[in-house]
Amino acid sequence: MTGHYLDNSATTSPSEAAKAAMIAAAEIWGNPSSTHKPGMDAKALLKDCRASIAKALGLPRHTQDKVIFTSCGTESNNIALLGCARAKKRDRDNPGTVIISAGEHPSIENPALLLEKEGYTLVRVPTAKGVLDLEYLKNALEEAKERKSPVIFAGFMLVNNETGALYDVKGASSLVKKYFPDAVVHCDAVQGFLKVKFTPASLGVDTLSISAHKIHSVRGAAALYISSETVKRKNIVPVMPGGGQEEGYRSGTENLISIAAFSAAAESGRVNFEANREAVVVLREYLDRELQKLDVKINLPEGDRLPWICSIILPGIKSETMLNHLSARGVYVSAGSACSAYSKKKSGALEAFGIDPSDADSVIRISLSYTNTTEDIDALIDGLADGIASLQRKR
Ligand code: PLP
């Protein structure tokens, strides 16, 4: 692709390793559930891929924890949340409480809304200025205890896809477990995988989602981690009945081509973790310096953050107008997140961050990868400078 792609939180370009693995896997076309030779070959490849993903997640070699392949991060999040709600017989009048952080991705927010309609109490923990409010969470847990409405599920994303804020998932999971040891604590780590060092155990979570196309692989594969304890306690059940693939958690013949690419991308992401991170840190420092020359404001989280994502507010110019201006110059960024742009809804994450509603239409998200160069940033800065001057004049 020619041009300057700075929308890596929406999706990433597949790496050479991912593409090679995909092509090799196309030759291993058997169904992993078949017991003949082509099927066994496919099964063996699937097993290797699962081991690579487990390794990239930092799981011990002989773990009883599960890595379940799904088709996308959205599916992984839905299986965790809806699969947890359906796992036990619930009291119709008081099924329980679901806690999520404010500004979660729609793949958590929307199934949570579905459960709220079914009678669950939904609590959103504020994330003003990109900081997960643990004091609020503590009070919410105490209230749930008083109301005798047990917390069945608590979901906290690791990295916010619009602001790059890194949440204290460990602190949140410890609190939830202290009050409700049986709750399923979930982490949407789609934007954090291979960018920040973690294991499901270090975050203290029971389930965790990751997605291939955010780590320089192709779309069509993702994974849901499920701890052995969650399996043992039957705290998650399948939400899509079918042939029982992926130990029943996700029926449907596995997309081995995408899974092979996913595992190759995860393997190189694991091996090159430090180098990739360092490259992005350097690029981000350069980006921040250059942005200071322009009339824009950076939505900088007050707590921990990842350098990959940079959210800025333009001076009174609509994001879409600037996006088109940049796109015409071969510079590709996004307005808030791609998903919220698609549904034309105001971004819940930016609202939760506390951005002034009048600024919400003027936000641009720049998201980096180790594949970017300072030339990409120069092209962006030139495009922004030119756009700010000409588009402001037109207003
Ligand atoms: N969670 C987060 C934080 C995301 O950023 C995304 C995608 O942007 C998803 C989940 C959904 O992942 P997928 O596109 O694989 O469904």
Side-chain angles (χ1 to χ4, degrees):
M1 190 201 71
T2 52
H4 304 278
Y5 186 79
L6 292 159
D7 197 14
N8 291 284
S9 289
T11 199
T12 50
S13 58
S15 67
E16 292 309 316
K19 285 191 275 189
M22 189 171 80
I23 289 165
E27 298 299 327
I28 304 171
W29 44 263
N31 186 327
S33 299
S34 302
T35 49
H36 45 55
K37 169 96 172 54
M40 298 300 268
D41 290 348
K43 190 177 176 180
L45 176 59
L46 186 62
K47 188 176 173 206
D48 288 349
C49 294
R50 209 181 303 281
S52 298
I53 298 295
K55 197 166 180 186
L57 280 172
L59 305 186
R61 203 135 176 235
H62 299 292
T63 178
Q64 297 297 310
D65 296 350
K66 306 283 179 208
V67 171
I68 300 301
F69 285 118
T70 66
S71 67
C72 58
T74 298
E75 192 181 17
S76 298
N77 282 340
N78 270 270
I79 295 173
L81 178 41
L82 299 180
C84 164
R86 308 283 180 255
K88 308 279 167 181
K89 225 173 149 53
R90 312 277 179 204
D91 178 350
R92 265 174 170 258
D93 298 324
N94 178 23
T97 298
V98 168
I99 297 183
I100 59 174
S101 31
E104 282 280 332
H105 187 267
S107 55
I108 283 288
E109 169 70 24
N110 288 337
L113 277 174
L114 201 79
L115 293 180
E116 188 180 35
K117 283 199 190 112
E118 289 178 14
Y120 288 85
T121 302
L122 176 59
V123 176
R124 291 184 191 79
V125 181
T127 51
K129 302 262 183 274
V131 180
L132 191 62
D133 189 338
L134 294 187
E135 200 47 42
Y136 187 100
L137 173 61
K138 189 163 166 279
N139 291 335
L141 291 164
E142 273 164 12
E143 261 178 42
K145 270 251 176 286
E146 272 165 33
R147 277 187 288 110
K148 298 198 179 354
S149 173
V151 173
I152 62 147
F153 179 97
F156 309 103
M157 69 201 318
L158 184 58
V159 176
N160 185 274
N161 47 301
E162 298 196 34
T163 63
L166 177 64
Y167 296 148
D168 180 3
V169 175
K170 171 79 194 147
S173 66
S174 312
L175 267 177
V176 174
K177 291 287 180 188
K178 188 172 146 203
Y179 286 84
F180 294 96
D182 288 339
V184 169
V185 182
H186 174 73
C187 176
D188 174 347
V190 165
Q191 295 289 349
F193 183 46
L194 299 174
K195 295 181 181 133
V196 56
K197 271 248 174 339
F198 71 84
T199 66
S202 74
L203 297 176
V205 298
D206 305 299
T207 54
L208 180 140
S209 304
I210 54 176
S211 178
H213 73 105
K214 311 290 187 181
I215 61 155
H216 290 285
S217 184
V218 293
R219 284 182 285 279
L224 175 66
Y225 159 88
I226 308 179
S227 75
S228 58
E229 198 55 26
T230 306
V231 174
K232 208 163 76 196
R233 293 178 177 211
K234 298 193 172 57
N235 277 348
I236 298 239
V237 292
V239 288
M240 187 171 72
Q245 290 90 344
E246 298 300 299
E247 305 207 30
Y249 286 106
R250 198 278 184 180
S251 283
T253 306
E254 290 91 345
N255 182 351
L256 195 50
I257 293 175
S258 284
I259 290 170
F262 182 23
S263 105
E267 181 66 17
S268 54
R270 182 183 66 77
V271 172
N272 299 311
F273 180 90
E274 294 300 342
N276 292 348
R277 191 186 163 83
E278 186 51 31
V280 173
V281 166
V282 170
L283 280 172
R284 178 59 190 265
E285 281 167 4
Y286 184 71
L287 172 66
D288 284 348
R289 254 196 325 272
E290 293 300 303
L291 282 174
Q292 275 171 22
K293 299 175 185 163
L294 303 179
D295 180 17
V296 297
K297 188 171 156 249
I298 304 184
N299 289 322
L300 212 55
E302 279 184 0
D304 290 336
R305 64 188 169 90
L306 279 201
W308 274 256
I309 297 175
C310 178
S311 167
I312 60 170
I313 304 174
L314 303 167
I317 298 166
K318 277 212 171 359
S319 331
E320 228 171 291
T321 313
M322 181 61 90
L323 229 66
N324 293 338
H325 167 83
L326 291 174
S327 181
R329 298 173 66 120
V331 177
Y332 310 115
V333 294
S334 75
S337 83
C339 317
S340 57
Y342 181 69
S343 66
K344 297 270 181 247
K345 275 211 291 208
K346 279 239 159 85
S347 155
L350 293 175
E351 203 179 313
F353 188 86
I355 194 171
D356 192 308
S358 62
D359 285 335
D361 280 345
S362 299
V363 173
I364 291 265
R365 180 185 69 179
I366 304 152
S367 48
L368 304 170
S369 162
Y370 58 86
T371 54
N372 285 123
T373 61
T374 50
E375 283 78 43
D376 294 328
I377 291 171
D378 291 341
L380 167 75
I381 298 294
D382 285 351
L384 282 173
D386 181 63
I388 290 168
S390 61
L391 299 171
Q392 268 188 330
R393 250 199 322 273
K394 273 195 201 149
R395 276 195 314 136

